[in-house]
């Protein structure tokens, strides 16, 4: 009797659960089917995998360019069942979303959090971002950036010594690795006041090794955050232990920076290193503005943001210039006319180089190392006739936009001449440093570092890539040379 009555109670309960489950499933299927039809995009492999078989590949960079051409300026991809990214390639939308500063997409930046935590770059809380950004602003003013010249010149001097040695011994040197090491030494010095000694350590530089283990995998976790949360791949586990090691270094750096507070000699803020400005900042009540965790987050973020993209832009530029005799001759003529032969390192007076600036702009169009930004649409919004659904990740993605034939004449041609007129381009069509209030904080610094280094390089050396070498592009956390960039150099005679 008792068993029967409990069975009687169980059946309706199970039936109720089944009805609720079916209703939820039906609602999910309807909303998924609707979402699938909302925007065009590459066909999905199946509804579970989505486009992961294409977005997790080494040639996804070419696919972004191609999808924008094939499916239009607004297209979508599915990273698994739940994660949809709508790529926005229409400059009118990009301009509005970026200048109105739509929040960063938490679901996407979550994938970067194991490394960057709550750093400025991944900060999805708008109020916290505003505060951090305001506190950092003094460290990035143009006058402060110019003050970094002696530090930059010292490290370029070291870079030149490596190249001189390669020239004297007629040995192959990997330019892309050397550029990474230079950028690390530079960011170590100006951001943290630390000597990483990266160039001298060469391939043994631990920070460079750790970043190599982290960044390609981190990009995949950014596109598909579940990959980082359930680390079934060996590469993800290697990344996680490299992150732990890097963050331990960051903890030491925080302790060092805070020690300086005790010995604070009343220096004005701009004289302090970028990281000290953050570490020593206090609120009105006397407490530190940033806790140790947030400082570690920003340490690694500066390391990544400050090192990699600058290095890769320089490598891409050298590769493109060496492939085009016309561009090479114009660039060399400008540099030779501005910089004396006996100057080991170009100085600030030497770097009014408009043609080099055009070539840099074109490099940042053609192969921008920073892809753009992920934003989120909080509520259904119609912009320029396109309805963007609520809670959708939007990728303002420059690989697609910078090569869009609707926006650029002959977009696959590397042509610095397109920058000669100095005419501003259509707003939202060019954003290598992102766009709007959350664009790159280090843009001025990066331009100075690249200009001085490249001017020095082309003034001092003849450069020959290894015969048969073709530079390939790999989307890591940033776009990077896939197999390095082996070159030989010879010292010029005049
Ligand atoms: C050629 C070199 C560089 C390129 C192409 C580049 C590109 C970018 C891009 C595209 C973003 C937006 C990222 C996003 O929204 O997800 C960004 C943000 C940022 N970059 Fe750079 N960057 C470069 C160099 C630097 C340097 C040298 C530093 C600092 C030392 C730096 C610091 C930052 C910071 C702190 C942010 C976050 C800004 C914010 O959210 O308010 N970057 N950068």
């Amino acid at each position: 009797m008792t068993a029967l009555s409990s069975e009687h109670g169980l059946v309706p309960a199970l039936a109720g659960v089944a009805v609720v489950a079916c209703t939820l499933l039906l609602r999910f299927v309807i909303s998924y089917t609707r979402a699938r039809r909302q925007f065009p995009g590459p066909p999905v492999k199946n509804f579970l995998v989505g486009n992961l078989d294409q977005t997790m590949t080494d040639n996804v960079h070419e696919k972004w360019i191609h999808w924008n051409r094939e499916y239009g300026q607004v297209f979508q991809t599915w990273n698994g069942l739940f994660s949809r990214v709508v790529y926005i390639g229409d400059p009118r939308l990009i301009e509005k979303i970026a200048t109105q500063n739509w929040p960063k997409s938490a679901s996407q930046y979550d994938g970067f959090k194991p490394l960057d935590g709550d750093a400025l770059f991944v900060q999805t809380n708008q109020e916290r971002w505003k505060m951090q950004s305001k506190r950092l602003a003094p460290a990035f003013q143009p006058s402060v950036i110019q003050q970094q010249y002696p530090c930059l010149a010292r490290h370029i001097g070291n870079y030149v010594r490596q190249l001189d040695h390669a020239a004297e011994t007629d040995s192959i040197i990997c330019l892309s690795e050397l550029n990474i090491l230079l950028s690390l030494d530079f960011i170590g010095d100006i951001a943290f006041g630390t000597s990483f000694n990266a160039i001298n350590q060469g391939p043994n530089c631990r920070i460079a090794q750790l970043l190599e283990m982290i960044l390609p995998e981190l990009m995949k976790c950014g596109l598909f955050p579940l990959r980082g949360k359930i680390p079934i791949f060996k590469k993800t586990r290697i990344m996680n232990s490299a992150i732990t090691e890097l963050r331990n270094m960051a903890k030491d750096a925080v302790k060092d920076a805070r020690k300086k507070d005790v010995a604070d000699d009343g220096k004005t803020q701009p004289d302090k290193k970028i990281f000290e400005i953050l570490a020593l900042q206090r609120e009105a009540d006397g407490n530190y503005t940033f806790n140790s965790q947030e400082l570690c987050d920003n340490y690694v973020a500066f390391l990544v943001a400050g090192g990699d993209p600058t290095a890769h832009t320089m490598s891409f530029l050298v590769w493109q210039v060496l492939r085009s005799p016309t561009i090479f001759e114009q660039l060399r003529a400008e540099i030779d006319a501005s910089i004396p032969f006996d100057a080991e390192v170009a100085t600030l007076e030497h770097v009014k180089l408009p043609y080099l600036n055009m070539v840099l702009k074109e490099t940042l169009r053609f192969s921008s190392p920073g892809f753009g930004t992920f934003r989120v649409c909080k509520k259904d919004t119609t912009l320029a006739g396109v309805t963007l659904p609520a809670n959708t990740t939007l990728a303002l993605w420059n690989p697609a936009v910078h090569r869009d034939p609707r926006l650029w004449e002959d977009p696959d041609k590397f042509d610095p001449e397109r920058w000669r007129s100095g005419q501003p381009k259509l707003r939202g069509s060019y954003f290598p440093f992102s766009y709007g209030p959350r664009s790159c904080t280090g843009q001025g610094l990066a331009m100075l570092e690249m200009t001085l280094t490249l001017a020095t390089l082309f003034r001092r050396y003849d450069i020959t890539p290894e015969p048969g070498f073709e530079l390939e592009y790999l989307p890591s956390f940033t776009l990077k040379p896939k197999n390095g960039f082996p070159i030989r150099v010879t010292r010029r005679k005049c």
Side-chain angles (χ1 to χ4, degrees):
M1 179 75 182
T2 320
L4 201 64
S5 66
S6 68
E7 237 174 61
H8 277 167
L10 196 62
V11 172
L14 283 178
V17 170
V19 169
V20 172
C22 285
T23 314
L24 288 177
L25 186 67
L26 192 68
R27 280 177 61 176
F28 173 74
V29 170
I30 292 170
S31 73
Y32 174 76
T33 313
R34 200 177 287 152
R36 279 281 305 279
R37 292 201 192 119
Q38 238 152 9
F39 300 103
V44 299
K45 188 173 167 121
N46 59 52
F47 87 110
L48 271 180
V49 170
N51 300 108
L52 277 175
D53 59 325
Q54 300 172 72
T55 54
M56 293 289 120
T57 56
D58 282 358
N59 65 350
V60 64
H61 187 253
E62 281 95 75
K63 290 190 172 123
W64 288 326
I65 297 171
H66 169 77
W67 286 337
N68 176 62
R69 290 179 189 179
E70 184 167 354
Y71 301 111
Q73 289 179 321
V74 182
F75 65 88
Q76 65 185 7
T77 63
W78 291 84
N79 292 319
L81 181 56
F82 297 107
S83 172
R84 168 168 66 158
V85 178
V86 177
Y87 289 81
I88 308 291
D90 181 333
R92 293 167 305 169
L93 271 68
I94 292 168
E95 203 246 324
K96 288 214 161 58
I97 295 168
T99 50
Q100 290 169 8
N101 205 10
W102 289 19
K104 285 201 170 181
S105 157
S107 60
Q108 229 61 40
Y109 284 90
D110 255 12
F112 303 130
K113 281 199 184 267
L115 178 70
D116 292 317
D118 267 331
L120 183 74
F121 144 74
V122 279
Q123 189 55 258
T124 49
N125 176 322
Q126 294 283 75
E127 287 311 308
R128 191 87 192 138
W129 165 76
K130 248 188 225 157
M131 186 273 279
Q132 285 192 2
S133 168
K134 202 168 137 204
R135 298 277 152 85
L136 260 180
F140 286 96
Q141 280 166 9
S143 59
V144 179
I145 289 170
Q146 298 270 312
Q147 284 168 23
Q148 306 304 328
Y149 175 74
C151 155
L152 183 51
R154 202 168 51 250
H155 295 298
I156 299 180
N158 215 0
Y159 177 85
V160 160
R161 273 183 283 288
Q162 302 295 319
L163 289 162
D164 278 357
H165 178 72
E168 281 154 21
T169 53
D170 189 25
S171 40
I172 301 172
I173 187 160
C174 179
L175 185 65
S176 114
E177 181 185 271
L178 191 61
N179 285 340
I180 293 172
L181 298 173
L182 172 68
S183 303
L184 282 177
D185 273 338
F186 185 48
I187 200 72
D189 202 338
I190 73 130
F192 314 126
T194 310
S195 168
F196 285 155
N197 206 16
I199 290 187
N200 291 340
Q201 291 180 47
N204 297 326
C205 171
R206 188 63 185 152
I207 294 188
Q209 289 173 350
L210 292 174
L211 291 176
E212 191 54 40
M213 288 180 228
I214 295 169
L215 297 181
E217 184 59 18
L218 190 71
M219 177 67 197
K220 293 187 172 163
C221 296
L223 286 171
F224 181 44
L226 200 60
R227 186 177 168 117
K229 289 191 179 118
I230 309 172
I232 50 171
F233 295 105
K234 191 172 171 201
K235 281 184 180 167
T236 318
R237 293 195 296 276
I238 292 175
M239 174 188 84
N240 286 340
S241 63
I243 288 177
T244 307
E245 193 177 332
L246 198 63
R247 289 189 64 92
N248 284 338
M249 290 182 188
K251 279 183 200 155
D252 292 340
V254 171
K255 278 190 211 138
D256 287 349
R258 286 267 161 91
K259 265 188 221 150
K260 292 195 182 138
D261 206 13
V262 181
D264 196 352
D265 54 3
K267 281 188 287 182
T268 54
Q269 281 209 347
D271 290 330
K272 287 183 180 146
K273 299 292 174 182
I274 297 171
F275 194 58
E276 284 172 45
I277 293 180
L278 273 185
L280 306 183
Q281 196 97 224
R282 288 180 190 274
E283 294 301 288
D285 60 9
N287 289 325
Y288 284 124
T289 305
F290 297 100
N291 64 36
S292 302
Q293 183 73 20
E294 289 168 319
L295 287 172
C296 286
D297 297 342
N298 277 295
Y299 181 94
V300 279
F302 277 132
L303 207 57
V304 173
D308 247 39
T310 318
H312 301 328
T313 307
M314 293 195 288
S315 301
F316 296 154
L317 181 142
V318 174
W319 170 247
Q320 290 297 343
V321 167
L322 295 181
R323 281 153 61 88
S324 163
T326 329
I327 298 173
F328 175 79
E329 274 158 28
Q330 284 194 70
L331 184 62
R332 169 79 39 102
E334 179 182 79
I335 290 173
D336 285 2
S338 311
I339 303 174
F341 176 66
D342 54 4
E344 189 190 60
V345 175
T347 68
L348 287 176
E349 297 80 61
H350 298 144
V351 293
K352 304 270 177 302
L353 300 167
Y355 189 69
L356 174 57
N357 193 263
M358 285 160 60
V359 184
L360 264 168
K361 279 186 175 157
E362 181 64 351
T363 307
L364 287 164
R365 179 194 73 84
F366 191 83
S367 46
S368 183
F371 302 125
T373 185
F374 291 114
R375 300 303 171 97
V376 66
C377 179
K378 286 284 184 204
K379 53 182 187 353
D380 287 355
T381 310
T382 301
L383 288 180
V386 180
T387 300
L388 302 169
N391 302 318
T392 310
T393 294
L394 310 171
L396 313 188
W397 225 228
N398 63 40
V401 180
H402 288 182
R403 299 278 203 101
D404 186 339
R406 306 167 195 95
L407 305 172
W408 303 90
E409 210 181 305
D410 213 352
D412 296 331
K413 182 174 176 203
F414 184 87
D415 182 12
E417 288 306 315
R418 65 177 88 239
W419 299 99
R420 188 170 294 280
S421 74
Q423 290 288 319
K425 302 288 171 209
L426 179 66
R427 288 158 77 93
S429 65
Y430 180 69
F431 51 102
F433 292 102
S434 191
Y435 196 92
R438 289 204 75 166
S439 61
C440 178
T441 319
Q443 175 171 352
L445 190 60
M447 290 304 277
L448 181 67
E449 180 185 353
M450 296 190 293
T451 306
L452 286 168
T453 310
L454 291 163
T456 303
L457 188 69
F458 283 109
R459 183 67 186 97
R460 197 171 173 88
Y461 304 102
D462 283 319
I463 309 164
T464 322
E466 268 303 274
F469 174 79
E470 283 287 320
L471 190 139
E472 287 176 55
Y473 297 92
L474 177 75
S476 169
F477 184 67
T478 50
L479 190 68
K480 62 176 277 197
K482 185 172 182 179
N483 300 310
F485 185 6
I487 55 161
R488 280 177 204 269
V489 284
T490 46
R491 281 287 305 276
R492 294 179 66 204
K493 300 277 183 290
C494 59

